[in-house]
Amino acid sequence: METIDKASLRQRLTPLQYHVCLEEGTERPFTGEYWNHHEAGVYACRVCGHDLFASATKYESGTGWPSFTAPIAEESVLEKEDRNLFMRRTEVECANCGAHLGHVFDDGPRPTGLRYCINSASLQFRQGP
Ligand code: FE
């Protein structure tokens, strides 16, 4: 996230948004803005506005975090190995700015079998087709 001015993000983001996006934090389940959100539209990066996920791929995972079967485009996110908690997970970042979004697991539904488990705090929804 070298290209983003962290001081200005401190001003613009809530403390939780900052913690999740810049410090790889995780919001508490069932507390975020979007885990139970069902409108049609696009979820963009909270930091840079880059389009990340479409509502058509959102599904009820029961985890309390917004869950998607795929990003809006393959190149819209970056996936990185994450060993922070003594387990191997795959971290998901915004491909445009590097903001932390969440993790991807291989226990999702068809058609991809993937579960992109994403923090509401990393996202900004906009309605649309
Ligand atoms: Fe971004």
Side-chain angles (χ1 to χ4, degrees):
M1 181 161 301
E2 304 82 13
T3 59
I4 301 280
D5 175 11
K6 290 188 178 180
S8 72
L9 286 179
R10 286 269 188 206
Q11 304 289 322
R12 186 158 64 80
L13 302 180
T14 67
L16 177 65
Q17 289 166 353
Y18 188 95
H19 177 58
V20 170
C21 293
L22 281 92
E23 301 171 341
E24 294 183 31
T26 301
E27 71 199 13
R28 292 170 56 212
F30 304 102
T31 64
E33 194 174 353
Y34 299 132
W35 71 271
N36 196 24
H37 181 262
H38 301 286
E39 292 176 70
V42 171
Y43 296 85
C45 177
R46 176 65 70 170
V47 173
C48 77
H50 182 64
D51 288 353
L52 297 173
F53 296 95
S55 57
T57 64
K58 194 172 187 292
Y59 75 100
E60 286 306 314
S61 65
T63 61
W65 290 284
S67 300
F68 304 87
T69 55
I72 198 164
E74 196 176 335
E75 64 274 17
S76 58
V77 300
L78 288 178
E79 300 181 11
K80 296 169 73 173
E81 191 79 3
D82 172 6
R83 293 187 201 81
N84 282 348
L85 295 174
F86 304 100
M87 58 180 176
R88 288 160 57 119
R89 298 186 299 181
T90 302
E91 186 200 350
V92 182
E93 291 184 351
C94 173
N96 186 54
C97 76
H100 174 76
L101 306 175
H103 293 85
V104 58
F105 302 94
D106 62 5
D107 59 4
R110 292 159 61 87
T112 63
L114 297 174
R115 171 170 60 97
Y116 286 81
C117 184
I118 305 300
N119 290 280
S120 299
S122 299
L123 301 174
Q124 178 133 45
F125 178 78
R126 74 166 188 275
Q127 279 189 313

